[in-house]
Amino acid sequence: MASATTAKISVHDVVDLLCAMLRFDTTNPPGNEKPLAEMLAAFMSEKGFAVELTDLGNNRANVTARLNGNGERKTLLFNGHLDVVPPGQMAWEHASPFDPVVKDGKIYGRGSSDMKGGLAAMIVAATAVKATGRALKGDLIITCSADEESGSLGARDFRQKGGLENVGAIIVGESSSCGINIAEKGALWIEIYTVGKTAHGAFPEQGINAITAMNAVLTELTNYTFSYQPNKLLGHPSLNISTIQGGVKTNVVPDRCVLTLDIRTVPGMEHNGIVKDIQAICERVKTERPGLSIEVNPINDRPAVETVANDPFIVMAQEVIRDNFGREESVHGVSFYTDAAIFLPGTNIPAILYGPGEAAMAHQPNEYVPIAGLEEAARFYAAMIERYLID
């Protein structure tokens, strides 16, 4: 059955709201999401939502909007984030990053795809459902969170304060080209410090070279083998050597070097075990170099998460796409992380990642979202509200 709310959704409303959101520079770091959160809080309050703005300090904030139901069913949670990554040094062709341009059926601007577009579509969809006057059998919550691109400060605060109480299902509006994703890789970022002893470059034997020690660590890391079972949707884990810094001057033996790793994991992998493996590698390097010290520090730790493909909520989403858009949609997984990594562990809440943006556009110069995708996403979100909370 197709959605009864489709006729009340105006794509122009989605475009207008998204363009207004894109004009807020919420580059993370530092974030500065609070002014955008305040704008959205005022917008949704005017539309009849019960709204709460949570000040997180340092000009950062979450905004949570609720449409109350009668309690017959569990809550449906829509989630999107307010922050964006830096626009980069390359000049943008169609727009400056925070002055959106509508051209050739696309909206250009930083965050249009990742993921203010999905959030705008969610808000307009919920507003359209409310405008029908139909009673909800469970609550609908839209949470607009800060800091997803870094430490998920906003999502963690939302969960710690009981935001997931009675939530039965979650939709995260991340870029997916309007596809259904039910799994995401975990992220384990690690800093490794080698600390040696400085000396004059003419007498290197008097020092302990932190860079050559790090090279020994790197050699072992490139030969490191993960222990895991391949995942049907996510495939295999990965390890990227991301940054390295060391040394102060050409004629000085470097006494410090720092390396960062970006490890992406699949469900079933234990991050603590990976950290221990890397610590063991570093211990071997230390043993060969008396006087050297090495520190291994995890700086980002998000587990891989997955909802089973036959969960009724996943099947519902597939039925909504078939009934409203006439296509059969299979399920997929993504290699990046979202706030789902904060919400799902230990909860058994089913979740999907579905948004209008193209994943390839995330973090790119000339970022855009197709207007047709915005319209389809808004219709999908409205239909999911109806199917989960009304029908």
Side-chain angles (χ1 to χ4, degrees):
M1 181 178 65
S3 166
T5 310
T6 300
K8 292 186 176 294
I9 293 176
S10 166
V11 68
H12 298 293
D13 290 344
V14 186
V15 170
D16 289 347
L17 178 58
L18 174 56
C19 286
M21 294 167 66
L22 292 174
R23 293 187 181 98
F24 288 84
D25 182 349
T26 55
T27 299
N28 187 9
N32 290 329
E33 298 97 338
K34 187 176 180 181
L36 174 55
E38 291 173 333
M39 184 276 278
L40 291 176
F43 180 90
M44 289 188 282
S45 180
E46 183 179 329
K47 299 296 183 181
F49 293 77
V51 177
E52 179 182 1
L53 189 140
T54 303
D55 193 321
L56 301 172
N58 299 314
N59 205 32
R60 317 195 76 173
N62 288 347
V63 59
T64 302
R66 182 188 298 266
L67 294 177
N68 291 317
N70 63 16
E72 182 180 331
R73 298 180 185 173
K74 288 192 172 185
T75 298
L76 176 61
L77 175 66
F78 283 175
N79 167 256
H81 62 86
L82 302 173
D83 58 323
V84 300
V85 297
Q89 300 300 313
M90 182 184 297
W92 284 41
E93 181 180 352
H94 299 290
S96 62
F98 303 102
D99 185 14
V101 167
V102 180
K103 183 178 180 180
D104 299 329
K106 302 171 182 176
I107 302 176
Y108 291 86
R110 175 53 92 217
S112 55
S113 179
D114 183 17
M115 60 152 291
K116 292 177 180 178
L119 190 51
M122 286 177 162
I123 293 170
V124 170
T127 300
V129 173
K130 187 178 188 308
T132 68
R134 301 166 73 193
L136 302 183
K137 297 178 181 178
D139 292 355
L140 172 67
I141 295 177
I142 303 175
T143 177
C144 313
S145 57
D147 193 44
E148 187 269 353
E149 297 288 1
S150 183
S152 284
L153 171 68
R156 295 179 193 278
D157 184 85
F158 178 80
R159 179 170 180 173
Q160 288 169 0
K161 291 178 178 176
L164 296 179
E165 183 178 350
N166 202 44
V167 169
I170 300 172
I171 300 178
V172 180
E174 282 283 5
S175 306
S176 76
S177 299
C178 295
I180 298 176
N181 293 284
I182 63 171
E184 64 182 53
K185 283 187 175 181
L188 176 61
W189 297 355
I190 295 176
E191 278 186 341
I192 301 175
Y193 286 89
T194 52
V195 182
K197 178 184 176 184
T198 190
H200 195 291
F203 308 101
E205 70 281 358
Q206 296 180 4
I208 301 173
N209 193 307
I211 292 178
T212 58
M214 188 65 79
N215 184 58
V217 173
L218 273 170
T219 298
E220 291 219 32
L221 285 174
T222 55
N223 295 318
Y224 177 70
T225 302
F226 290 107
S227 175
Y228 72 101
Q229 292 294 323
N231 183 271
K232 182 178 179 181
L233 298 177
L234 299 172
H236 308 276
S238 63
L239 185 154
N240 182 55
I241 309 297
S242 301
T243 67
I244 187 166
Q245 296 176 316
V248 293
K249 202 170 184 291
T250 303
N251 62 346
V252 176
V253 174
D255 64 344
R256 290 182 182 271
C257 186
V258 59
L259 176 84
T260 61
L261 307 176
D262 182 351
I263 299 170
R264 302 296 168 128
T265 59
V266 297
M269 296 179 69
E270 291 292 336
H271 288 192
N272 285 342
I274 297 172
V275 173
K276 289 179 180 178
D277 287 347
I278 293 174
Q279 288 172 333
I281 287 172
C282 293
E283 285 298 318
R284 289 197 293 271
V285 172
K286 282 173 58 178
T287 300
E288 297 167 357
R289 291 166 174 78
L292 176 75
S293 65
I294 306 181
E295 297 179 12
V296 177
N297 300 314
I299 56 175
N300 189 12
D301 188 351
R302 299 169 187 252
V305 294
E306 182 176 20
T307 298
V308 295
N310 63 353
D311 185 275
F313 185 65
I314 307 305
V315 175
M316 178 187 294
Q318 293 173 305
E319 291 173 346
V320 162
I321 289 180
R322 183 191 63 219
D323 294 345
N324 286 272
F325 310 113
R327 69 174 187 269
E328 298 295 329
E329 189 70 35
S330 58
V331 296
H332 306 279
V334 298
S335 295
F336 54 83
Y337 62 75
T338 74
D339 279 338
I342 307 302
F343 296 149
L344 298 193
T347 67
N348 294 316
I349 301 173
I352 64 172
L353 279 58
Y354 173 104
E358 300 173 9
M361 275 287 99
H363 303 187
Q364 295 292 322
N366 301 310
E367 180 182 353
Y368 67 81
V369 63
I371 293 174
L374 288 173
E375 182 174 16
E376 179 171 329
R379 292 172 59 192
F380 172 81
Y381 297 141
M384 288 297 290
I385 296 170
E386 290 178 334
R387 194 73 61 97
Y388 193 82
L389 296 176
I390 297 176
D391 295 342

